[in-house]
Amino acid sequence: MTNTTTAPSAAPTGRTSGWIRTPHARPDATARLVCFPHAGGAANAFTALSAGLPEDIELLAVQYPGRQDRRAEPCAEDISELAAGVAGALASRSDRPLFLLGHSMGALVAFETARLLKEHGRVARLFVSAARPPAQDWEEPDLTLVGDEELVAGLRRLGGIPEPLLRDPEIVAEVLRLLRADHRALLRHRCPEGTAVAAPVTVLLAAADPKNSLEQMADWARHTTGGQDLVTLSGGHFALVERPGESGPILTHHIRADLARAEQVPAPAEASADAPADAPAREEPLADLVREILLDGLEGRAPKLSTDLTTLEAAAREVMSPDAYAYVAGTAGSGATGRAGREAFDRVRLVPRMLRGTRCTDTSVTLFGQRLPVPVLLAPLAAQQVAHPEGETATARAAAAAGVPMVLSTFASRTLEEVAEEAGDGPRWFQLYLPSDRAVGESLVRRAEASGYSAIVVTVDATHLGFRPAELDRGYSPFLRGTGIANFTADPAFRASLPAAADTTATVLRWAQISTDPTLTWADLAWLRRLTRLPLLVKGILHPDDARLALEHGADGLVVSTHGGRQLDGGVPALEALPGVRAAVGPDVPVLLDSGIRTGSDVVKALALGADAVLYGRPYVYGLALDGRRGVEHVLRCLLTDLGLALALTGCASLADVGPGLLFPREPVGAYGTHPLARTTSDAPGSSGTPENGERR
């Protein structure tokens, strides 16, 4: 389909009867699931699915004109006509939440119906199965030009119709009549690129579907402002209806979670006219994930992955190759810096506060003029394909679905353009290892600017590779095996520097020669500052003097980091260095922290000690190794749920309430300068819950 359109009419027209069938009436149901059949299909396609749903969900099956009991009516001329008819029939049924489910062509009808129902009732969620997004070219042929035998062969390939029926000439003739008519409507449909519904979208993709791929389905995220997630089903194109025992519980899970959310969160007020356009808000109730899991437990289902994020490393070790695990989990030398990073968090204690009325928490933060929904960004971890074949693209999709900004590594196994495409409109930053070949460095920055990355994070603590026994003992580097250098092999400046007819070995050797620069000085940071107008953060700062030098040479922000303990063995923990860095640069410079964070309480501790936000690293890669995109999303949902509850339990309604007054006064832990805990609680700025600068940047 092309991207010109005639939008559906603003109000439903035509018949309001005959459109809906109810295979199993459930008058006491709390929600209605409205199902739209595929091209050539009818309402009875959903009978088995209806039978398997619980009593609190009533399935309404849409019957298009021209088939079965509506055979005397002409088939619809276009998708908009179908949507208008269904919307009219549903307008009087908005007494209970409506969930729309469209299969194949039915997904387009469901999408257009959801747009119309904005005027007549609220659509709680849109499920789309085996269908590309509405603005995408479905690459469908004109079936009037395709012979019957070829069409029947295509039906056999897709499945969905038992073989005995395909041998019945009368049944085949009827199926082909409807299929050709519905395809005419499909080919006429036009949807512009920016068209979106407010309802969240759940994409159902069958693993063996020959018509649709993961990459194609991901673009549904561009057609909703309510968030998108993707669930994989086993089976082929018709898995939704052929495997109701699998699809039914998935639908039930989402519907019940949405109903629980609606009960806990009041309807949002109208947005202020002067509210910033980039101020996303997390509407998920504090304990939504907890509630979902416990409700699933009533039906005998437990989470696939543990909710204890500190256990994921051990679980991932069981599924990762020894080389991959050594690379991801390995630290420098004896591992002292990595251990000290965790111990620093364990030494800091939070003080719960009571009766603060914190039913919901505002976790948004403003950095460099951009409002982010949470004070957490995914840290730049390199070569993620060692953990999962989809690598950074799966991570980008999960980050976008969870509302967590992603920082992409220079040494990614997917190009920055590919990752930007998967991230959609979500905020993203680009981490830069400045190459010794400055032409390549400039090219990387220009590509990041062109691909919508909104900040550059230059890492300065890895100009020399740390001594990492786990990798060295196995003689393993993913980069020397070609994984993690995609941004270089796709870069025109890098390719121009290769010798003529360079093979894979020559390409990797050239990468090894120029990928980092051990001769970097502060003057090189000033050069980078002149190169781009994007906000520039320096990552790897631990000493206050280095923090000041970074600002003097053009940095806009800092990341206090030990590189996850992978560089200097026996180094100061990042959390202990944080107060001194914050004191050195004052309250107005954005300061982030990484290294050692595992839980939501860890995030609160970092914020209380002076960080504006944190970078979250290894746990999400362990989630990636364990369950791909869904594993990353699970990790992020657990972290953010834990963060929201930690804020509420310390009496904080928003990040502006987080300050050193949340911490139990024990011995100072600052490596440089005086730690806020050394003050008495009554003297400490923010002891009532407000930091010195009054707000989170």
Side-chain angles (χ1 to χ4, degrees), residues 481-501:
R481 289 163 170 78
T483 299
I485 65 173
N487 279 321
F488 290 81
T489 57
D491 190 87
F494 177 79
R495 292 200 305 269
S497 72
L498 292 173

Side-chain angles (χ1 to χ4, degrees), residues 294-307:
L294 296 181
L295 288 174
D296 281 347
L298 292 176
E299 300 178 8
R301 295 193 303 273
K304 183 175 181 179
L305 305 184
S306 175
T307 57

Side-chain angles (χ1 to χ4, degrees), residues 120-131:
H120 299 272
R122 178 175 176 270
V123 174
R125 181 175 292 271
L126 174 63
F127 297 96
V128 293
S129 165

Side-chain angles (χ1 to χ4, degrees), residues 504-583:
T504 301
T505 299
T507 300
V508 170
L509 290 177
R510 177 59 180 164
W511 171 86
Q513 288 173 344
I514 63 99
S515 57
T516 58
D517 186 354
T519 69
L520 285 180
T521 68
W522 292 111
D524 295 296
L525 180 64
W527 173 84
L528 183 60
R529 171 71 287 168
R530 293 190 296 271
L531 186 63
T532 181
R533 294 185 178 181
L534 290 178
L536 183 63
L537 295 90
V538 176
K539 180 177 182 292
I541 297 298
L542 293 164
H543 197 290
D545 288 350
D546 285 341
R548 297 185 189 97
L549 285 166
L551 298 185
E552 290 173 9
H553 289 84
D556 300 297
L558 306 169
V559 181
V560 179
S561 170
T562 66
H563 212 100
R566 292 166 68 80
Q567 286 300 98
L568 176 65
D569 191 26
V572 57
L575 190 69
E576 294 191 357
L578 173 62
V581 171
R582 169 55 75 195

Side-chain angles (χ1 to χ4, degrees), residues 324-652:
Y325 175 78
Y327 171 72
V328 173
T331 55
S334 67
T337 305
R339 292 192 300 272
R342 279 303 309 150
E343 292 164 359
F345 279 98
D346 290 340
R347 283 195 297 272
V348 177
R349 303 295 183 187
L350 297 170
V351 181
R353 299 301 302 273
M354 303 302 140
L355 302 181
R356 296 299 183 96
T358 49
R359 179 181 183 184
C360 296
T361 55
D362 176 12
T363 58
S364 61
V365 61
T366 299
L367 294 174
F368 309 110
Q370 185 176 35
R371 193 69 173 259
L372 305 180
V374 291
V376 178
L377 299 90
L378 293 192
L381 272 71
Q384 292 182 24
Q385 275 188 322
V386 303
H388 189 274
E390 294 180 20
E392 291 83 0
T393 54
T395 297
R397 288 193 295 271
V404 176
M406 178 180 182
V407 185
L408 180 71
S409 172
T410 299
F411 298 156
S413 45
R414 297 294 184 98
T415 68
L416 61 91
E417 290 84 2
E418 289 177 295
V419 173
E421 183 70 21
E422 297 296 339
D425 295 330
R428 53 190 177 272
W429 297 357
F430 182 68
Q431 177 269 340
L432 178 68
Y433 288 106
L434 193 59
S436 58
D437 186 330
R438 290 296 184 265
V440 176
E442 180 172 357
S443 181
L444 289 168
V445 171
R446 297 297 180 227
R447 288 167 59 199
E449 292 172 332
S451 297
Y453 292 82
S454 56
I456 300 293
V457 182
V458 58
T459 296
V460 297
D461 62 359
T463 54
H464 299 269
L465 187 66
F467 190 82
R468 305 172 191 168
E471 297 171 49
L472 295 174
D473 289 354
R474 302 194 65 84
Y476 178 73
S477 166
F479 312 108
L480 298 183
R481 289 163 170 78
T483 299
I485 65 173
N487 279 321
F488 290 81
T489 57
D491 190 87
F494 177 79
R495 292 200 305 269
S497 72
L498 292 173
D503 59 11
T504 301
T505 299
T507 300
V508 170
L509 290 177
R510 177 59 180 164
W511 171 86
Q513 288 173 344
I514 63 99
S515 57
T516 58
D517 186 354
T519 69
L520 285 180
T521 68
W522 292 111
D524 295 296
L525 180 64
W527 173 84
L528 183 60
R529 171 71 287 168
R530 293 190 296 271
L531 186 63
T532 181
R533 294 185 178 181
L534 290 178
L536 183 63
L537 295 90
V538 176
K539 180 177 182 292
I541 297 298
L542 293 164
H543 197 290
D545 288 350
D546 285 341
R548 297 185 189 97
L549 285 166
L551 298 185
E552 290 173 9
H553 289 84
D556 300 297
L558 306 169
V559 181
V560 179
S561 170
T562 66
H563 212 100
R566 292 166 68 80
Q567 286 300 98
L568 176 65
D569 191 26
V572 57
L575 190 69
E576 294 191 357
L578 173 62
V581 171
R582 169 55 75 195
V585 301
D588 298 325
V589 175
V591 175
L592 287 74
L593 177 131
D594 75 11
S595 304
I597 295 168
R598 293 295 180 267
T599 70
S601 292
D602 291 341
V603 178
V604 175
K605 293 173 184 179
L607 300 181
L609 289 172
D612 295 296
V614 303
L615 300 183
Y616 193 62
R618 286 187 180 96
Y620 83 79
V621 176
Y622 297 140
L624 179 68
L626 289 163
D627 198 22
R629 175 244 172 99
R630 286 178 295 187
V632 178
E633 204 166 333
H634 169 82
V635 169
L636 296 181
R637 289 196 70 197
C638 288
L639 177 71
L640 298 182
T641 298
D642 191 21
L643 169 60
L645 288 169
L647 289 170
L649 293 170
T650 52
C652 299

